[in-house]
Amino acid sequence: MDQPLRTGAWVTLTNVYRVLFALLSAGVGLALTYGGGQLLALGGSAYYLLAGLAYIGLAALFFLRKSSALPASVAVFAATCVWALYDTPHIGYWELLPRLVVPAILLALGLWLAALFPNIRAVVRRWSALGGLAVLAALVGTLVAAFYPHGRIANPSALSAEATVAQAGRADAPQNWEFYGRNAAGTRFAPYNQITPANVSQLKVAWVYRTGRRISGSGFGTDENTPQQIGNVLYSCTPENLITAIDADTGQKIWAFNPGARTAEHVSCRGIGYYDQDADTSLTQEPKASSPNPECRQRILVSSVDARLFALDAHSGALCKSFGDAGFVDLKKQMGPTENSKRYHPTAVPVVMGHLVVIGGWVRDIMPGEPSGVVRAFDVRDGSLAWAWDVGNPDNTHAPAPDQTYTLSTPNVWTVPTYDKELNLVYLPTGNGPPDYWAGDRSAANNRFGSAVVAVDAATGQTRWVSQLIHHDVWDYDLPSQPVLYDVTNAQGERIPSLIQTTKTGHIFVLDRRTGKPVTEVVEKPVPTSPAGQGEQLSPTQPFSVGMPTIGADPLSESAMWGISTFDQLYCRIMFKNSVYEGPFTPPGEKPYIEWPSLLGGMNWGGISIDENSGLMFVNDMRMPLRMSLVTRENAKKFKVSTDEVPGFMGTIRPQLAGPYGGVKIDILQSPLAVPCSTPPFGTMTAIDLHSKKIVWQVPMGTVEDLGPMGIKTHLPVPIGMPTLGGPTSTASGLVFFAGTQDYYLRALNARTGQEVWKQRLPVGAVAAPLIYRSPKTGREYVVISAGGASHSPDVGDYIIAYALPEGVSTHE
């Protein structure tokens, strides 16, 4: 038919459609004109203002049934496409989505409306209607495409010859998961081949254990625990240090110990330390023979959130009465104003070094005079102090006089140290001397040892070398993860005993663990020093690890701001232009500034995994820009105070009593939909070949199924890549297991390609790293995850879940 049906009802519907579309187009135009004017006034893109005016014009043309509305509508969309391609830093799905979807919807509606105009030729009406259907089909295709991952990196040519050689599991590998990262080197590598990429899809739940941890009330904490496996027993630690011994094949409880530990902040337990006196080569036979009592020859070391260090018999869970004060050492002594552990307590795993155990601690970083960041080593047999590493007095490794304290407000070690038995060194990844964001009066000692890897003699506590990775850190870039020991080749092809340290800045440093000197190239580059806070003296340079890939740290720009739609992308662009951003290490100041990568990471506490056979390293990260500002003491009175690291609601400040300042305002740089303003993915898993020093693959990790805009569960498995915590675990069979996403899944990836080969729904989220072990009784291989809830998720649980292949499934060994 050349003419549409001209009934009265049809005319009425057409007029209603015309008026509604005109109002919609005008509303879009007014919003873009208003926001675009603000953006242009800040020196930003003129597109939004021009587009807003164009849509207002289109509204008028359609309302008046002008035949020119059709070509004008097409022209506006065509111009938008040209601008989008020009404006986008990297052309990709997520980059183009907010730039084109809303204009495409308006184009389709406009094409259909134009097809109803009686003053347009029939053939034009037909093509206009078909064009609208074509745009609709493209929009449907765009929606479908959202359910497939975008932003992947696949670079198989980066695989070196060494990494491609097939390797079998090591026959001489230790059979226990004895340390936080399985072995003392921290590689979190399971040398087993039973579960493979070919059969992993058949993994089923073998058993489930409920720990009984507290999951309501205040301060119940986050489950960050990787259980440790010794023989046929797993040892689990809940956030409030409820320790349970579990049968590795059945998941049945053997014993439990509850210290009744409570504290107010940073409630977590990542694992336990294990000591076997009979296997201890640091002791001669004489001291071993002098303690014939069979009790506590194998013991569990537990640091509690109320700042005590316990020793338990590994077989019964009973306190080792000869240790400290009838089984525990009070770690608060001579530490300063701990407020009964509120301002100080350990958050990492006690690291056993022969017959010594070393332990650091988390320190609240709000004001001068906070508790000491001292790191101490105790004798595992009796709890006596072996040495203390005190930044304020590093040459004195003894306890201070009874009426004195260790040096207050010093850099602390809140993450896991690493012990090198051959070199007899323990490596301490440090934080800062509090407070975090202003350091105009920071001491020379704090400046030297802050945000550094420090090698300390494991027997004496004497400092051997210091490698600072952030100078004069005022960004809370404290080193977040365990240093990992693995031999890496340098530029001359020499294989060097190395230490790998990941950072919140997205940089990966590889150091000679004997000397602290870089193995891969590190360059001191100039960084901005102004505008900075009052009285601040920033470092003019910072170390950049240019010899290794940098993950998730591409500099931001206005055009890199993102949103689900045109409108929230415009909002994010306005926020960006209305903030100070000078690139990496933008100085903190009183005007809102953008910290990117932020204090959340880059890489965080979960650490890395290294396939020891191939030399592939697996790194997960998060990408969450923050918008921050220093608040003077006078202005701080106007805000509510929150001690959360990133306050959960607007209008609060985190107290920072330093110099002229009373706090720091910290907000995620996000749109009104509570979606980060940086372009997705917001979290990835990356494989790096340590031979070639190149990225082999990178994939977005996690979907919006359980956390979407406005914090709402979408129930849609859109793999946008969400912020990650926890860490990966790799296997000799070529798998990488990971659970630290914002959706509730344990996943397995192909180690060579990054392809997801298996996933299993969890009852709640998990941020802990997976444990993989082989039962010495049955020979069965298990994958275990502690699922207690994702960070900031309302869904909390107390699950430890073990997966295994069903009996009779073919394995490759």
Side-chain angles (χ1 to χ4, degrees):
M1 267 184 5
D2 289 342
Q3 296 290 334
L5 187 63
R6 305 298 292 172
T7 66
W10 178 261
V11 171
T12 299
L13 287 174
T14 301
N15 285 333
V16 169
Y17 182 11
R18 176 174 56 84
V19 172
L20 289 177
F21 178 76
L23 289 173
L24 174 63
S25 184
V28 169
L30 289 171
L32 294 182
T33 300
Y34 176 74
Q38 293 184 63
L39 181 61
L40 187 62
L42 292 168
S45 171
Y47 163 78
Y48 295 91
L49 175 60
L50 296 175
L53 295 173
Y55 282 118
I56 292 172
L58 285 176
L61 292 175
F62 276 104
F63 183 77
L64 297 173
R65 296 194 188 91
K66 298 292 185 180
S67 59
S68 58
L70 177 58
S73 183
V74 173
V76 169
F77 183 74
T80 294
C81 290
V82 172
W83 166 80
L85 295 174
Y86 170 79
D87 182 68
T88 305
H90 306 286
I91 296 175
Y93 177 85
W94 295 118
E95 288 83 356
L96 293 176
L97 184 78
R99 291 172 168 86
L100 295 181
V101 166
V102 169
I105 292 172
L106 292 173
L107 175 64
L109 294 174
L111 290 173
W112 288 329
L113 180 57
L116 301 177
F117 285 0
N119 56 341
I120 294 179
R121 288 185 304 158
V123 65
V124 176
R125 283 201 302 272
R126 267 194 223 101
W127 282 109
S128 183
L130 290 173
L133 289 173
V135 175
L136 176 62
L139 288 168
V140 171
T142 299
L143 176 62
V144 171
F147 293 87
Y148 294 86
H150 301 279
R152 295 172 61 105
I153 295 174
N155 187 25
S157 63
L159 273 172
S160 62
E162 295 91 337
T164 55
V165 175
Q167 298 280 351
R170 288 172 47 201
D172 62 340
Q175 295 303 301
N176 291 333
W177 190 292
E178 192 169 329
F179 297 86
Y180 174 68
R182 189 178 191 275
N183 50 29
T187 56
R188 205 179 289 135
F189 172 68
Y192 305 130
N193 286 27
Q194 191 178 108
I195 302 171
T196 70
N199 63 27
V200 66
S201 61
Q202 301 182 63
L203 280 180
K204 303 294 182 185
V205 174
W207 52 259
V208 177
Y209 179 77
R210 305 293 295 273
T211 66
R213 62 169 286 218
R214 187 167 64 93
I215 58 174
S216 62
S218 61
F220 58 80
T222 303
D223 185 355
E224 300 174 351
N225 173 239
T226 298
Q228 278 138 285
Q229 167 257 333
I230 309 296
N232 213 52
V233 180
L234 305 188
Y235 296 96
S236 165
C237 181
T238 70
E240 292 179 316
N241 309 113
L242 170 62
I243 309 301
T244 309
I246 304 168
D247 185 283
D249 280 304
T250 66
Q252 296 298 308
K253 180 175 73 174
I254 300 171
W255 57 256
F257 171 79
N258 190 348
R262 297 285 188 275
T263 196
E265 298 180 48
H266 284 266
V267 183
S268 66
C269 180
R270 293 181 184 140
I272 55 93
Y274 174 75
Y275 174 70
D276 184 350
Q277 180 172 299
D278 296 331
D280 183 2
T281 58
S282 71
L283 294 177
T284 63
Q285 287 302 317
E286 184 177 350
K288 291 182 181 181
S290 65
S291 54
N293 191 336
E295 295 179 355
C296 289
R297 294 186 75 83
Q298 291 78 37
R299 57 184 64 190
I300 302 299
L301 287 305
V302 183
S303 57
S304 64
V305 294
D306 59 358
R308 290 179 289 171
L309 178 64
F310 290 87
L312 310 176
D313 184 281
H315 306 288
S316 68
L319 285 166
C320 298
K321 299 297 186 181
S322 62
F323 183 84
D325 183 10
F328 72 90
V329 172
D330 185 356
L331 298 173
K332 298 183 294 295
K333 290 182 178 179
Q334 299 182 282
M335 292 295 289
T338 66
E339 289 187 43
N340 196 29
S341 82
K342 180 180 180 180
R343 296 169 69 175
Y344 161 83
H345 60 264
T347 54
V349 177
V351 176
V352 175
M353 313 178 299
H355 64 284
L356 302 182
V357 60
V358 66
I359 192 163
W362 169 85
V363 175
R364 193 182 68 171
D365 43 15
I366 288 177
M367 65 182 71
E370 297 282 17
S372 177
V374 65
V375 176
R376 290 168 289 180
F378 298 90
D379 193 307
V380 298
R381 298 168 296 174
D382 59 15
S384 60
L385 180 70
W387 53 258
W389 182 77
D390 183 353
V391 165
N393 194 6
D395 294 328
N396 179 17
T397 59
H398 304 292
D403 60 341
Q404 300 294 313
T405 66
Y406 295 102
T407 309
L408 303 183
S409 297
T410 50
N412 60 322
V413 177
W414 60 265
T415 192
V416 184
T418 305
Y419 171 56
D420 186 326
K421 183 177 180 180
E422 290 185 9
L423 296 176
N424 200 34
L425 295 176
V426 59
Y427 303 101
L428 310 177
T430 68
N432 296 309
D436 281 326
Y437 307 102
W438 185 88
D441 58 1
R442 188 173 288 173
S443 70
N446 280 11
N447 266 328
R448 180 191 175 203
F449 289 104
S451 295
V453 179
V454 183
V456 170
D457 187 293
T460 66
Q462 293 291 333
T463 303
R464 292 292 177 248
W465 55 257
V466 181
S467 181
Q468 189 171 65
L469 305 186
I470 311 290
H471 303 323
H472 193 77
D473 181 4
V474 289
W475 303 272
D476 197 14
Y477 281 160
D478 44 353
L479 302 189
S481 57
Q482 179 184 22
V484 176
L485 310 184
Y486 187 77
D487 294 353
V488 176
T489 54
N490 62 14
Q492 291 73 42
E494 303 167 312
R495 197 153 181 85
I496 305 297
S498 301
L499 174 151
I500 301 171
Q501 180 67 60
T502 56
T503 66
K504 293 182 180 180
T505 64
H507 285 267
I508 302 168
F509 291 85
V510 183
L511 308 175
D512 187 325
R513 61 181 184 259
R514 300 166 299 185
T515 65
K517 302 298 182 184
V519 174
T520 57
E521 186 178 6
V522 175
V523 176
E524 286 282 338
K525 292 185 179 182
V527 293
T529 57
S530 66
Q534 301 174 38
E536 185 61 271
Q537 297 292 325
L538 299 179
S539 171
T541 65
Q542 291 289 347
F544 285 72
S545 178
V546 299
M548 288 289 290
T550 302
I551 308 298
D554 290 344
L556 296 179
S557 64
E558 180 207 331
S559 59
M561 293 296 98
W562 192 76
I564 295 175
S565 71
T566 302
F567 309 107
D568 49 325
Q569 184 180 46
L570 172 56
Y571 175 90
C572 285
R573 292 175 85 131
I574 293 171
M575 292 290 285
F576 178 83
K577 295 299 290 187
N578 203 26
S579 307
V580 175
Y581 179 69
E582 303 290 336
F585 301 98
T586 292
E590 294 173 34
K591 183 178 179 180
Y593 65 95
I594 294 174
E595 183 174 284
W596 169 263
S598 74
L599 58 91
L600 303 175
M603 297 78 159
N604 211 292
W605 56 264
I608 63 176
S609 177
I610 298 176
D611 183 327
E612 295 179 8
N613 294 336
S614 68
L616 285 178
M617 178 173 72
F618 307 100
V619 184
N620 63 287
D621 74 305
M622 69 171 75
R623 305 175 188 186
M624 296 278 284
L626 297 181
R627 190 171 187 260
M628 305 170 61
S629 57
L630 297 176
V631 182
T632 63
R633 291 177 186 261
E634 184 62 29
N635 288 336
K637 299 174 184 177
K638 304 173 185 177
F639 293 91
K640 294 179 181 179
V641 172
S642 170
T643 55
D644 291 344
E645 194 164 39
V646 178
F649 53 93
M650 304 293 284
T652 68
I653 62 169
R654 189 166 195 261
Q656 286 284 285
L657 306 180
Y661 298 106
V664 59
K665 194 169 187 302
I666 308 176
D667 294 301
I668 297 172
L669 181 62
Q670 61 186 8
S671 75
L673 297 178
V675 175
C677 287
S678 56
T679 302
F682 307 126
T684 70
M685 182 72 71
T686 303
I688 299 171
D689 188 329
L690 289 174
H691 305 287
S692 68
K693 319 297 191 297
K694 294 179 180 179
I695 292 176
V696 177
W697 53 259
Q698 184 177 95
V699 296
M701 290 301 298
T703 71
V704 297
E705 184 171 345
D706 296 296
L707 180 66
M710 305 297 294
I712 298 170
K713 293 185 179 185
T714 69
H715 304 287
L716 299 174
V718 176
I720 193 170
M722 299 291 281
T724 68
L725 279 173
T729 301
S730 59
T731 72
S733 63
L735 291 169
V736 180
F737 287 90
F738 184 69
T741 56
Q742 297 299 311
D743 54 2
Y744 305 168
Y745 288 97
L746 172 63
R747 290 176 167 87
L749 308 179
N750 185 307
R752 296 300 175 94
T753 66
Q755 177 187 2
E756 183 181 288
V757 290
W758 174 81
K759 71 176 181 180
Q760 180 70 40
R761 183 74 175 170
L762 300 172
V764 296
V767 295
L771 158 72
I772 300 174
Y773 66 93
R774 176 180 293 167
S775 165
K777 284 188 177 180
T778 65
R780 201 176 185 192
E781 191 173 313
Y782 295 89
V783 180
V784 173
I785 190 67
S786 186
S791 297
H792 308 295
S793 170
D795 300 325
V796 183
D798 64 342
Y799 303 88
I800 298 176
I801 307 173
Y803 300 87
L805 295 173
E807 299 290 346
V809 170
S810 175
T811 61
H812 175 68
E813 290 207 89

